[in-house]
Amino acid sequence: MTAAVRRRVFLSRTAGMTGAAALGLAGCGSGAASGEPGRITVMAASYGKTVGSPIVDRWHEFVAAFQKEHPDVRIDLELVPIEKIDRTLAERAAAGREPDIAQSYVFADYAEAGRLYSADDLFSLSAQADFLTSFARAGEINFTEYGIPFLASTPRLFYHTGHFARAGLSGPPTSWAELRSAAQALKAVGVAVPYGLQFGPEAAEDEALAWMLGTGGGYGGQAGYDFTKEANAEALLWVKEQLVAPGLAGHDPATFSRTPAYAAFLKGEVGMMLAHPVLIEAADQAKVAYANADFPMKDGGAAPPVGLSDWLMAFKRNGHRRECAAFLNFLYSERATTQFARGQGTLPVTVSGSEALRAQPAGRALRPFIDQMPRAEFHPVGRATWPKVRDTLRQRIGAAVKPGGNPRALLKTLQTTAEAAEAARPQDTAQ
């Protein structure tokens, strides 16, 4: 199972909980329906019966509701196991059998090859304006949106209020100095992992970006990668010297990944850590005393939050722009986005859906997450080279903050890897 798949499985099933919505769209260009006017195939990610999630049943309900309003468009729903969905999409696209609509963790390759409709082709201006700007921009290549955000989330700093009370802490840290002091106090009262630093291979890029954003750094943006900026080195050196070296981040952060971190938090072994709203239901079920807060900037204040999303794409090959547009506009209606987000641990990517969920009593616990989404910063998902760079980061960042590690050397390696990968790409391919 790839790390990208593990991330999505985690978002739906962390530590045995009913988790984030596994609502995914992907399409298949095979079968008699391929190229047939008025008929599109939609492939949803299937998580199997062990997840305990009603997503598959709700997908059938959603398709039925869409077709009731759009009898001229036939939807063929295909369910593909989550661990195969990205590979299946890549194989079908490589064979020239692009789907009509697809879900994936990556979209840049397809967009650069000119195989996707843009958001301008699919949505009205008012519908596009309803997308949260930070998420819409993350789906852009050359300032044109091809990746349509879906399955959105953003983490906050979760902390054990019971442990904090025992340690004499009155509230969450609002700076890194306070975070270190809180970790020291938690360690003094016997908390095994005062701060759950998740630099293991499952999603180290999320944790690392949160710390870099806390010093004004980041991975780069539309203009290219920028790993070697001083703010990034400042962040990783602080983590290495102030958390890892004094034993405030567990035995080995290089092997401590997101899923085991969540399980440890639920057992009371972790005092505080970055976590997604999917943890809320599990913590409530486990009767854990907890709260969440903004992740702090180094010198105080709320840091920009990390944004996460899967992406929907509409492929051009079958010429079904009208049908794809009808389906996607229905999917992103306020009714649908609110229904699919509610109780699943994911967040709507539209302003109207966010406001509707926020207004519901059931959405009360999600309000802090919803409120920080407009400020979210993303990985450079609009660059086709990002998966290669991301994999290098996952493999090496844990060792870089351990004794003897060299954060500056890691950042230089990441920049070199990124530049080499960019140089090897065909130029000016986006259409």
Side-chain angles (χ1 to χ4, degrees):
M1 185 181 293
T2 67
V5 167
R6 286 197 300 270
R7 180 182 69 84
R8 283 201 293 272
V9 170
F10 155 79
L11 284 175
S12 70
R13 184 183 59 196
T14 296
M17 68 184 104
T18 300
L23 295 173
L25 294 178
C28 140
S30 61
S34 180
E36 183 179 331
R39 192 181 189 105
I40 60 175
T41 53
V42 173
M43 182 170 60
S46 172
Y47 289 77
K49 297 180 179 179
T50 59
V51 178
S53 172
I55 296 308
V56 170
D57 291 340
R58 294 174 68 184
W59 257 117
H60 285 292
E61 293 171 6
F62 172 78
V63 169
F66 169 78
Q67 293 189 156
K68 185 176 181 179
E69 293 190 15
H70 299 268
D72 59 329
V73 181
R74 178 69 183 177
I75 304 296
D76 290 330
L77 179 66
E78 180 185 3
L79 303 178
V80 173
I82 181 61
E83 66 271 13
K84 296 181 179 179
I85 198 166
D86 285 350
R87 183 172 69 252
T88 299
L89 172 61
E91 290 171 352
R92 290 176 180 173
R97 297 185 290 116
E98 289 93 331
D100 293 302
I101 295 176
Q103 173 201 357
S104 182
Y105 183 58
V106 295
F107 62 87
D109 264 332
Y110 305 113
E112 288 185 358
R115 301 169 88 164
L116 303 181
Y117 289 114
S118 70
D120 291 337
D121 297 323
L122 300 167
F123 297 96
S124 67
L125 288 177
S126 60
Q128 291 185 65
D130 195 31
F131 283 105
L132 294 172
T133 301
S134 59
F135 282 77
R137 286 181 176 170
E140 292 180 349
I141 293 180
N142 294 332
F143 304 101
T144 298
E145 183 181 357
Y146 295 98
I148 306 166
F150 196 54
L151 285 180
S153 188
T154 181
R156 287 173 60 80
L157 183 68
F158 278 68
Y159 60 100
H160 260 281
T161 54
H163 291 340
F164 268 53
R166 288 195 301 114
L169 301 169
S170 59
T174 60
S175 68
W176 290 9
E178 289 184 6
L179 190 149
R180 180 188 57 210
S181 295
Q184 292 170 332
L186 291 168
K187 183 177 182 179
V189 296
V191 177
V193 183
Y195 179 82
L197 184 67
Q198 300 155 56
F199 272 0
E202 182 179 344
E205 70 275 14
D206 300 339
E207 178 88 23
L209 181 57
W211 287 99
M212 292 179 189
L213 292 174
T215 54
Y219 296 158
Q222 289 275 1
Y225 294 98
D226 192 6
F227 285 104
T228 55
K229 63 177 65 175
E230 183 58 27
N232 292 342
E234 179 185 358
L236 294 185
L237 285 166
W238 192 94
V239 169
K240 179 179 185 290
E241 296 166 0
Q242 305 298 324
L243 284 184
V244 178
L248 301 176
H251 173 66
D252 184 5
T255 62
F256 200 49
S257 285
R258 178 179 289 167
T259 298
Y262 279 49
F265 184 87
L266 296 176
K267 295 176 183 177
E269 298 169 357
V270 173
M272 53 182 166
M273 68 176 191
L274 273 170
H276 289 269
V278 69
L279 185 60
I280 291 173
E281 183 177 349
D284 290 342
Q285 291 177 354
K287 301 188 184 307
V288 173
Y290 73 95
N292 60 74
D294 295 323
F295 190 77
M297 294 285 289
K298 181 181 180 184
D299 296 325
V306 176
L308 294 179
S309 181
D310 278 9
W311 308 95
L312 297 186
M313 298 160 282
F315 284 82
K316 294 179 178 179
R317 183 176 178 83
N318 294 326
H320 289 161
R321 185 185 67 82
R322 181 187 68 85
E323 294 86 349
C324 290
F327 187 79
L328 290 169
N329 278 274
F330 190 87
L331 175 65
Y332 285 95
S333 67
E334 177 184 322
R335 176 181 59 182
T337 56
T338 305
Q339 175 189 2
F340 288 158
R342 183 174 59 247
Q344 299 298 335
T346 53
L347 305 168
V349 295
T350 60
V351 174
S352 61
S354 297
E355 291 176 347
L357 182 60
R358 197 182 188 286
Q360 297 173 0
R364 186 183 304 275
L366 295 176
R367 290 175 186 172
F369 298 88
I370 293 171
D371 292 346
Q372 73 178 28
M373 286 181 71
R375 300 187 294 112
E377 300 281 348
F378 290 79
H379 310 140
V381 291
R383 312 198 75 83
T385 52
W386 167 238
K388 179 178 180 61
V389 179
R390 178 200 62 204
D391 289 346
T392 302
L393 185 153
R394 287 173 173 170
Q395 295 163 7
R396 302 191 180 189
I397 193 166
V401 298
K402 292 168 67 174
N406 189 333
R408 291 186 189 278
L410 167 68
L411 293 170
K412 184 176 180 180
T413 295
L414 292 174
Q415 188 68 28
T416 300
T417 300
E419 291 174 355
E422 289 283 300
R425 295 286 302 171
Q427 300 299 308
D428 300 322
T429 54
Q431 299 180 14

